[in-house]
Amino acid sequence: MPLRNNERLIDQLTEQDVLSYRAWLQYCPVKDEEYKQQIEAVLSVVTVKETSIIIDAALSELSLGLKEMCAFQPAITTQSNQNGLHITIEDTQGKETFHITYDKSQLYLSAGDDRGVLYGVYHLLRQIQLKTPLEQFGVKEAPKNPMRMINQWDDMNGEVERGYAGKSFFYDQYQFIKDRTRVKDYARLLSSTGINAISINNVNVHENETDLIFDRYLADVKQTADIFSMYGIDLYLSINYAAPMEKGLTTADPLDEDVKAFWKDRAKVIYDNMPHFGGFLVKADSENRPGPFTYGRNHAEGANMLAEALAPYGGKVIWRCFVYNCKQDWRDRQTDRARAAYDHFLPLDGEFLDNVILQIKNGPMDFQVREPVSPLIGGLEKTNYLLEFQIAQEYLGQQKHLVYLVPQWKEVLNFDTYQKGEDTRVKDLVSGKVLNQKHSGIVSVSNVGIDVNWTGHLMAQLNLYGYGRMIWNPDLSAEAIALEWIKQTFGHDEALVQTLLNIVIPSWETYENYTSPLGIGWMVNISHHYGPNIDGYEYDNWGTYHFADRDGVGVDRTKETGSGYSTQYHKENFECYNDVTTCPDELLLFFHHVPYTHKLHSGKTVIQHIYDTHFKGVEEVEEMIARFTTLRTLIDDARFESVMERLNHQLYMAKEWRDIVNTYFYRKSGIDDIHGRKIYA
Ligand code: GCV
């Protein structure tokens, strides 16, 4: 039978494809005989008394990994007098935690629950892949963030919104793809990094997709939920707020009794089928999606109605704050999209039920290369929330450009909001440590698709891996995470490891250098968001994004003369951003409109900074390519070629960005580059 579009069976992969497909779970044979024997001595017998589907999955992963790496499979027993690995569950430990000790040739893995066992097993397998000496296996781990979530933006027609790695491996032509191998392997990849929740359909829920919560698809959803729950991952569905109207009601008003009954009935049917179902994810009143505003209701009323329907079953409503219903006009400099999430949601703080969780994008705009941290984080006091990142590189080169995102995310997590005085960092707010919210954590839009290497650009696997590892423990450094990934993905050769590290670590800054300078953002084509288009978002009645004219550039968001966005921060940050003399260079044009000759803290003028960084960005991509070229013999052909092809494209695009940005600002400002370089294309 011919395969449908999105179906690509795993057993059809070539040997070379397999290396790309296995990502960081390569489980390559261990060559060091002595190490192998040591591993065999402590892992050839595994004692475990408890059983559950998650423990079964952990044991089969352990068997698979050991078979591949060390050519043996452990005997599993319940007899506690054996040597080897001893797995126990001690519920006095916290949920999802594990504690590994190595003592006199015995390994002990004691976990808080079965998810802890799974994470402990992945930890052991990671240590073997990293060739960690047995004596260093001991560790006590607890995830810092309770919810560690992934959002798929997969449509049931098989497309992925903002997907840059091919089509969906969940759906094709309004059917679930029958072969679930990909889904299961995705669950393994995710849970190996500690992910514990996923929503499997796009937040933009199109017609027909409401059937995901009806009989037509419920069995398929359940089957998918069962796969994820083997790996400790709770499944959520995005819903259309106007679903009741798709099914015959005349309204979706959250205060209408029939609407309430509709959702209660759906909740019952879903939980009767899937007691482990996580809940609903909702994009309402945003980018033409329906929502409570239509009925004169606010978002707390809208979300609470769903929350009441899910509450009897322990379900949650995740409600996105990406709401910006202001239509902007370039002549109006007071209306500001950046203000929208805070203006809408802060007044509702404390009004949401305790199974509602707000989902807040990391910045006030939309995943730009550089944005300040959303002031809602640090603003809300009495509301559950998740911080939202995007692993898919919508505005960051769309997985054609190599951009390692963990350094960017870590800047967000380390940002001091001053909500409870100095040192109230985002990472401690979203983890629940400061405010003790009932639910909290981090979520991100995924970057996977049907491409054999999952992420289109092989190096973009690092962002998926890095996201999971970083939200498990935000104190891991970007470098440590990259090191783990490189060794597990490509091996341990010292030159290879160091070279790849030198390539990935500065790559976010490189991307920023050749694209949007000093916090402006947006200078892309409005439809697909790829490639330079300086006025792409300007003068289209939607955005006011850089305001470049002959005298200056940047958006005035100050209290006195601008949109007042800066006032949404606590005093320390407000004062810092609001004052042009203290505002950090990298965000200067996000907060201020300044002349081209304005001097940055670096001592350069704004216009000279633009020229210099754009030349530098291109040189850095050339350097990346030169470095990568030295790895020709150290990486297999297929992976080497696929990365090289994308790097060459990145260089082509970096030059285009440089020439278009520099020419634009040269024309606007009329100021020459002091180095006399040719900037006029
Ligand atoms: C899923 C941006 C993207 C949209 C996306 C939206 C969102 O606007 O371009 O594709 O929609 O964000 O986060 O809801």
Side-chain angles (χ1 to χ4, degrees):
M1 197 176 87
L3 293 176
R4 290 190 324 206
N5 275 352
N6 294 16
E7 259 173 285
R8 172 128 189 230
L9 298 179
I10 304 314
D11 56 14
Q12 294 176 329
L13 299 183
T14 65
E15 222 171 279
Q16 291 221 315
D17 280 347
V18 170
L19 294 175
S20 302
Y21 181 78
R22 285 193 171 180
W24 54 88
L25 298 180
Q26 295 283 328
Y27 299 147
C28 292
V30 172
K31 295 202 182 96
D32 176 344
E33 278 305 319
E34 198 187 324
Y35 187 61
K36 204 149 97 183
Q37 279 167 19
Q38 288 172 3
I39 297 296
E40 190 159 358
V42 288
L43 282 166
S44 56
V45 180
V46 177
T47 307
V48 55
K49 293 210 171 97
E50 287 84 0
T51 56
S52 78
I53 52 159
I54 295 181
I55 292 177
D56 287 350
L59 294 175
S60 45
E61 191 71 24
L62 188 64
S63 297
L64 172 74
L66 291 174
K67 185 171 139 233
E68 301 271 320
M69 290 190 283
C70 303
F72 75 89
Q73 276 181 294
I76 313 291
T77 171
T78 52
Q79 311 291 314
S80 44
N81 57 353
Q82 303 282 329
N83 283 338
L85 171 66
H86 302 263
I87 299 179
T88 50
I89 292 186
E90 279 156 37
D91 33 20
T92 47
Q93 278 179 222
K95 281 199 164 118
E96 302 190 314
T97 60
F98 64 89
H99 186 181
I100 293 173
T101 40
Y102 173 66
D103 183 31
K104 300 194 187 94
S105 332
Q106 309 269 5
L107 263 182
Y108 299 89
L109 162 53
S110 107
D113 55 9
D114 50 6
R115 284 189 185 179
V117 172
L118 183 66
Y119 299 141
V121 162
Y122 274 121
H123 178 88
L124 289 173
L125 290 168
R126 186 181 314 121
Q127 297 319 309
I128 302 173
Q129 292 211 86
L130 294 174
K131 297 188 183 164
T132 307
L134 262 179
E135 301 72 44
Q136 291 167 29
F137 271 30
V139 74
K140 208 170 186 174
E141 290 263 331
K144 293 271 167 40
N145 289 290
M147 285 186 73
R148 304 177 300 281
M149 189 172 191
I150 284 285
N151 287 172
Q152 297 297 133
W153 282 359
D154 295 40
D155 294 324
M156 292 202 71
N157 64 6
E159 301 297 325
V160 180
E161 183 156 346
R162 312 301 176 189
Y164 310 109
K167 293 190 170 194
S168 169
F169 54 76
F170 286 85
Y171 323 103
D172 187 31
Q173 300 167 41
Y174 295 96
Q175 298 295 331
F176 278 70
I177 290 178
K178 286 212 169 48
D179 183 333
R180 300 297 173 90
T181 319
R182 277 302 281 242
V183 172
K184 184 174 170 201
D185 285 337
Y186 187 42
R188 290 176 51 231
L189 286 171
L190 293 181
S191 97
S192 74
T193 72
I195 298 297
N196 66 2
I198 188 168
S199 60
I200 59 163
N201 62 316
N202 190 356
V203 288
N204 291 327
V205 183
H206 305 106
E207 242 175 86
N208 293 325
E209 294 173 346
T210 285
D211 281 348
L212 281 167
I213 53 170
F214 279 83
D215 286 354
R216 180 171 169 200
Y217 294 125
L218 222 48
D220 290 315
V221 174
K222 178 181 162 26
Q223 202 189 14
T224 311
D226 288 346
I227 295 172
F228 281 110
S229 66
M230 279 165 64
Y231 292 92
I233 300 172
D234 298 329
L235 184 136
Y236 290 69
L237 288 173
S238 302
I239 54 125
N240 174 6
Y241 202 75
M245 296 171 77
E246 279 186 55
K247 296 292 173 187
L249 297 193
T250 52
T251 176
D253 181 350
L255 302 195
D256 181 275
E257 291 307 320
D258 289 341
V259 171
K260 289 183 191 172
F262 170 93
W263 287 112
K264 284 190 175 146
D265 172 62
R266 277 308 93 201
K268 180 169 180 348
V269 172
I270 293 171
Y271 280 95
D272 282 351
N273 278 274
M274 286 179 282
H276 52 297
F277 180 68
F280 294 147
L281 169 62
V282 194
K283 172 174 178 179
D285 291 316
S286 161
E287 301 186 329
N288 304 317
R289 306 313 300 158
F293 284 165
T294 312
Y295 310 97
R297 315 294 181 203
N298 69 31
H299 278 223
E301 291 168 313
N304 289 347
M305 179 273 295
L306 292 173
E308 273 169 15
L310 296 181
Y313 315 97
K316 300 173 197 127
V317 174
I318 303 179
W319 189 270
R320 294 178 85 231
C321 297
F322 184 59
V323 177
Y324 60 102
N325 54 346
C326 47
K327 282 266 182 185
Q328 293 194 246
D329 186 310
W330 67 278
R331 288 154 300 194
D332 163 14
R333 305 216 172 177
Q334 305 306 312
T335 309
D336 182 3
R337 172 173 165 179
R339 295 188 57 118
Y342 186 98
D343 285 346
H344 282 299
F345 287 93
L346 203 81
L348 300 177
D349 192 18
E351 289 187 24
F352 293 92
L353 292 178
D354 71 357
N355 60 333
V356 176
I357 310 167
L358 299 186
Q359 178 163 321
I360 308 168
K361 286 193 182 185
N362 64 269
M365 289 300 205
D366 192 13
F367 305 131
Q368 301 301 297
V369 65
R370 179 80 68 170
E371 290 184 48
V373 170
S374 168
L376 253 189
I377 299 167
L380 294 168
E381 293 262 347
K382 294 170 281 186
T383 305
N384 300 316
Y385 59 85
L386 297 173
L387 163 65
E388 180 179 353
F389 288 126
Q390 190 186 48
I391 314 175
Q393 298 163 236
E394 180 176 349
Y395 296 91
L396 284 109
Q398 306 194 345
Q399 291 153 232
K400 294 190 179 77
H401 298 220
L402 191 161
V403 183
Y404 179 35
L405 294 170
V406 170
Q408 184 201 43
W409 297 331
K410 282 191 66 90
E411 269 199 24
V412 173
L413 292 174
N414 287 328
F415 179 73
D416 193 349
T417 64
Y418 289 90
Q419 183 173 11
K420 300 279 174 197
E422 201 178 341
D423 207 18
T424 319
R425 296 188 191 273
V426 169
K427 64 180 175 187
D428 297 324
L429 287 165
V430 300
S431 72
K433 187 173 152 193
V434 177
L435 300 173
N436 281 314
Q437 303 98 315
K438 185 160 178 213
H439 304 291
S440 60
I442 304 183
V443 55
S444 186
V445 182
S446 187
N447 64 347
V448 297
I450 199 82
D451 281 2
V452 77
N453 66 11
W454 301 91
T455 51
H457 200 315
L458 187 89
M459 300 296 286
Q461 289 180 357
L462 170 58
N463 288 328
L464 185 62
Y465 178 83
Y467 167 71
R469 294 287 293 139
M470 177 193 72
I471 66 172
W472 175 275
N473 178 7
D475 294 326
L476 283 175
S477 72
E479 202 170 299
I481 292 171
L483 259 180
E484 285 181 6
W485 177 79
I486 293 168
K487 287 184 181 168
Q488 293 174 95
T489 307
F490 290 111
H492 291 245
D493 181 281
E494 253 177 59
L496 173 134
V497 170
Q498 200 45 52
T499 305
L500 285 179
L501 207 55
N502 291 341
I503 289 173
V504 300
I505 293 296
S507 57
W508 168 46
E509 207 179 308
T510 294
Y511 185 80
E512 182 177 35
N513 282 342
Y514 64 78
T515 58
S516 301
L518 300 167
I520 305 178
W522 296 109
M523 301 190 314
V524 289
N525 293 293
I526 192 164
S527 54
H528 50 67
H529 299 169
Y530 190 71
N533 185 345
I534 313 304
D535 290 336
Y537 264 82
E538 195 78 0
Y539 308 146
D540 59 21
N541 221 26
W542 269 84
T544 48
Y545 295 106
H546 62 64
F547 290 139
D549 56 26
R550 62 176 193 181
D551 299 319
V553 55
V555 185
D556 186 351
R557 295 193 160 100
T558 62
K559 181 179 176 191
E560 296 75 16
T561 52
S563 71
Y565 166 78
S566 61
T567 63
Q568 295 182 340
Y569 291 91
H570 291 285
K571 186 170 171 282
E572 292 78 354
N573 288 323
F574 157 69
E575 286 175 357
C576 169
Y577 289 144
N578 198 60
D579 183 344
V580 73
T581 65
T582 51
C583 184
D585 285 352
E586 67 273 13
L587 286 171
L588 183 73
L589 302 183
F590 193 93
F591 285 98
H592 298 275
H593 186 80
V594 297
Y596 294 102
T597 51
H598 174 89
K599 271 225 169 113
L600 298 168
H601 297 119
S602 68
K604 283 185 185 170
T605 60
V606 165
I607 190 69
Q608 195 56 47
H609 173 92
I610 293 175
Y611 296 150
D612 287 352
T613 49
H614 283 77
F615 280 103
K616 186 162 175 252
V618 171
E619 283 157 22
E620 285 168 348
V621 180
E622 282 165 346
E623 172 87 34
M624 241 184 213
I625 293 178
R627 288 192 161 128
F628 193 74
T629 307
T630 66
L631 305 180
R632 200 330 114 254
T633 55
L634 299 174
I635 298 180
D636 55 286
D637 289 350
R639 291 191 296 175
F640 180 87
E641 297 298 347
S642 82
V643 173
M644 194 49 126
E645 193 189 328
R646 291 199 182 219
L647 287 177
N648 284 327
H649 172 77
Q650 184 172 359
L651 179 60
Y652 174 87
M653 290 304 295
K655 287 179 180 166
E656 187 168 321
W657 270 100
R658 175 196 64 193
D659 293 344
I660 288 178
V661 171
N662 282 354
T663 304
Y664 180 95
F665 285 103
Y666 171 71
R667 284 185 172 145
K668 281 273 174 197
S669 68
I671 301 173
D672 281 316
D673 172 21
I674 54 170
H675 302 296
R677 286 171 296 207
K678 181 175 175 291
I679 46 175
Y680 196 89

